[in-house]
Amino acid sequence: MAGVTLTRFTPKKNVGIYGKRKVMAIALSVLTAFAMLSLGIGSIRRKLRKMSVYLGSGDCEWTEALDTPAGTDIYGTLFASYPGSGMRITWQQTEGITGIRVYDDFFQLASPKIGLVKTQYPHYEGIWSYGSDLDQVILVIRNPRWAIPSYLTLLSELEFAHTWQIAYGHLPEVFTKRADMGDWIKWRDYRFTDEIRLWGLHIDFYMENGAQYWMPFDFERNGQWPFRFYNESDLPWPQDYHCAHDVETCFPKAVISYERLKDPITGPNELKRIAAALRGKKKMTVMPDDGIDCVWHDTWVKNPYPDNDDRDKNGLPRTAYNFTLSQMYMIEDKIVEYKTKYSTGAWEYNPQAQDLVLNFAQYLGDVRAEIDVMEENPPPTAAPNANYTRELVEWYNSKGKGNRYSKGTVQQMGIWDMVKHFYDDH
C-alpha cells in the first residue's frame, strides 16, 4: 500500500502555512481509512499471539503479549526496515523477550503508537503514524537479493492493495502463498532500478539521521512523475521533519540482520542485541540474557502465525524468483557501493556502520556465488519486444500503483495551485 506520511517540509517555493495545512489534511483523510483496517488486525493478534516469559535458570514459558495501555509514559522504540526484510520475525522475537505488543504503523491506528512500533517508513509502503511518541530506532536489514522478491510476494498476497478495503479483504492470505511468476517478472523488470536504489536509500535515511531523498509535495515518497528522487547533484538533501523534531535522532541504536536473527547459530545472539537496545529503558521489561536462547527457540516452535516458510507450501519456492544476470550485477554493485561507503571516512569506526559492513560482506559472497552459477549456465536471451516497456507501464498502472500523480488526479486534491508549476513543461 502506498503510504501517506504527515511529513512537514520546507518547499522550494513559498506556499505558506495554508498550503501546508491542506496537504496535511489530505494526508490525514487517507490515514483515517486505515484505522478501520487496524481494528481487524488487532483482534486477530489478541486471539493468537503468545510470548515467552522468564522462569529462571534459562527456562521460559509462553503467555500472552499485552498492549501498552494508552497514556503509559513508556520509552518508545521504532523498528524500521525496507519492505520484505524480515520484520515479522523481528517483532515476534521482540514480543517474546519483552511481553509487550509491537504495533504496526499502518494498522491499529485507533490505538496509541507507543512502546514498540514497526514501520517501513520512509519507503512509500510505510507511514509516520506515531508522532513524537518514540525515542530511538532499531534498523533491520536483509540482503536485497531476497528482500525485493519478498516485498513483491506480500504485494501479491494483498492484490497490490492501494486502499484499506482491498488490503482488509486479503489479510487471511498474508504469508500463505508466493506471487504469480508472470507478475514477478513484470514487477521485477518495471520496478527493479527504483527498488534497488530504495533499498540503499532506506539505509542512508536512518544512518544519516533523516536524509530526505524525495521532493516536497511527493507525499507518497514514490518518486513518480512529475517528481523524482534526489541525486548527488541535489546535495545537501533536506532533513526529514520527523527526524529533526519527533525523535531525538533517527540514527539507529542498533542494526539487526534478518539473516543472523533467523539462523539457529547466530539467532539468539542477534536477539540479545535487540534486548540490549531495550533493556533499562523506562517501563520496558526485557528478558534476562540467559533466558533469550529459550525464547528464540520457543518462538519458532510455538508461534501460531504463518511466516515466510509457509509460503513454500503453496506453489513455487522462493528460489524460483530470480533476477536477470544484468540485475544481479546491479545488486552486486549496489552492495559493493554501500560496503565501501560505510567502511571508509567518518564511518570507519562507527559501530553501526561496521555492523552494516559485516552483513554486506556476507551478502556479497552469496550474490557472487549465484552470479558465478548464472555465468556458467547463462539463461536464454529473451526475444526482442519493442513494446515491452509500454506493456510494463500499462500493467503497473492496472494494479493501481502507477501514475499516482496524474494531472487530473492532483487537480482534485485541493493542492493544485501549489504544485501546478511541476506540470508546466509536460
Side-chain angles (χ1 to χ4, degrees), residues 129-148:
S129 57
Y130 23 88
S132 57
D133 290 330
L134 304 180
D135 302 285
Q136 69 175 2
V137 173
I138 293 177
L139 179 63
V140 181
I141 62 169
R142 186 184 185 185
N143 189 336
R145 163 61 183 93
W146 300 107
I148 293 174

Side-chain angles (χ1 to χ4, degrees), residues 195-205 334 338 342:
E195 292 303 332
I196 189 60
R197 187 180 180 204
L198 284 169
W199 174 84
L201 289 173
H202 193 277
I203 292 170
D204 289 339
F205 177 86
K334 180 59 67 174
Y338 274 70
Y342 286 108

Side-chain angles (χ1 to χ4, degrees), residues 278-302:
L278 301 177
R279 189 174 288 120
K281 301 301 190 291
K282 186 176 183 180
K283 297 187 178 178
M284 182 64 57
T285 58
V286 181
M287 177 81 64
D289 274 358
D290 66 346
I292 286 179
D293 284 65
C294 177
V295 173
W296 188 93
H297 287 93
D298 269 15
T299 296
W300 285 108
V301 174
K302 299 178 181 179

Side-chain angles (χ1 to χ4, degrees), residues 5 9 13 47 102 145 203 205 265 342-343 387-388 408:
T5 179
F9 46 77
K13 294 193 175 184
K47 292 177 182 177
V102 178
R145 163 61 183 93
I203 292 170
F205 177 86
I265 297 175
Y342 286 108
S343 60
N387 297 319
Y388 189 52

Side-chain angles (χ1 to χ4, degrees), residues 380-401:
T381 303
N385 181 353
N387 297 319
Y388 189 52
T389 300
R390 177 179 57 80
E391 292 170 358
L392 292 179
V393 171
E394 291 174 353
W395 174 84
Y396 195 65
N397 288 347
S398 75
K399 298 295 185 180
K401 290 289 188 177

Side-chain angles (χ1 to χ4, degrees), residues 101-400:
R101 194 175 309 282
V102 178
Y103 292 104
D104 185 274
D105 59 353
F106 262 118
F107 305 137
Q108 300 168 310
L109 288 179
S111 302
K113 294 291 191 299
I114 57 177
L116 304 171
V117 179
K118 61 186 178 75
T119 189
Q120 295 164 347
Y121 184 89
H123 191 279
Y124 54 85
E125 298 291 357
I127 56 175
W128 192 287
S129 57
Y130 23 88
S132 57
D133 290 330
L134 304 180
D135 302 285
Q136 69 175 2
V137 173
I138 293 177
L139 179 63
V140 181
I141 62 169
R142 186 184 185 185
N143 189 336
R145 163 61 183 93
W146 300 107
I148 293 174
S150 184
Y151 169 32
L152 182 275
T153 294
L154 182 58
L155 283 179
S156 178
E157 289 170 329
L158 294 175
E159 294 293 327
F160 293 85
H162 54 279
T163 68
W164 72 266
Q165 294 97 330
I166 297 174
Y168 190 86
H170 294 281
L171 282 178
E173 300 170 37
V174 172
F175 287 89
T176 64
K177 60 184 180 180
R178 298 200 184 276
D180 173 81
M181 183 56 67
D183 283 350
W184 159 245
I185 292 172
K186 292 186 183 75
W187 184 85
R188 175 199 71 186
D189 290 352
Y190 185 69
R191 290 295 308 164
F192 175 76
T193 301
D194 277 346
E195 292 303 332
I196 189 60
R197 187 180 180 204
L198 284 169
W199 174 84
L201 289 173
H202 193 277
I203 292 170
D204 289 339
F205 177 86
Y206 287 100
M207 292 297 289
E208 297 177 9
N209 191 21
Q212 182 179 311
Y213 55 80
W214 61 94
M215 297 174 64
F217 294 106
D218 181 3
F219 53 82
E220 289 192 0
R221 306 177 308 285
N222 62 30
Q224 290 185 16
W225 179 87
F227 308 112
R228 61 175 176 81
F229 295 137
Y230 288 136
N231 54 45
E232 296 299 311
S233 67
D234 299 306
L235 291 173
W237 298 351
Q239 184 184 26
D240 179 57
Y241 176 89
H242 302 296
C243 294
H245 300 281
D246 286 337
V247 294
E248 181 177 344
T249 177
C250 280
F251 182 76
K253 182 71 172 181
V255 174
I256 299 299
S257 159
Y258 163 79
E259 289 84 3
R260 295 179 66 83
L261 184 61
K262 184 178 180 181
D263 186 270
I265 297 175
T266 60
N269 282 335
E270 197 74 356
L271 185 55
K272 289 174 183 177
R273 297 181 66 244
I274 295 177
L278 301 177
R279 189 174 288 120
K281 301 301 190 291
K282 186 176 183 180
K283 297 187 178 178
M284 182 64 57
T285 58
V286 181
M287 177 81 64
D289 274 358
D290 66 346
I292 286 179
D293 284 65
C294 177
V295 173
W296 188 93
H297 287 93
D298 269 15
T299 296
W300 285 108
V301 174
K302 299 178 181 179
N303 169 52
Y305 286 113
D307 59 32
N308 197 41
D309 293 338
D310 291 292
R311 288 166 167 161
D312 291 338
K313 300 173 183 177
N314 299 293
L316 297 171
R318 71 186 186 113
T319 52
Y321 295 82
N322 297 317
F323 292 93
T324 66
L325 186 55
S326 64
Q327 290 168 343
M328 288 296 293
Y329 288 143
M330 291 178 67
I331 292 174
E332 184 178 46
D333 288 345
K334 180 59 67 174
I335 299 172
V336 168
E337 173 191 345
Y338 274 70
K339 182 175 180 291
T340 301
K341 173 177 179 176
Y342 286 108
S343 60
T344 58
W347 297 112
E348 187 173 0
Y349 299 106
N350 181 278
Q352 287 85 336
Q354 294 314 299
D355 285 337
L356 288 175
V357 171
L358 175 68
N359 286 284
F360 294 162
Q362 180 63 53
Y363 298 169
L364 280 175
D366 295 341
V367 169
R368 173 38 61 178
E370 186 172 351
I371 289 174
D372 288 343
V373 173
M374 295 176 72
E375 289 176 334
E376 291 176 5
N377 304 280
T381 303
N385 181 353
N387 297 319
Y388 189 52
T389 300
R390 177 179 57 80
E391 292 170 358
L392 292 179
V393 171
E394 291 174 353
W395 174 84
Y396 195 65
N397 288 347
S398 75
K399 298 295 185 180

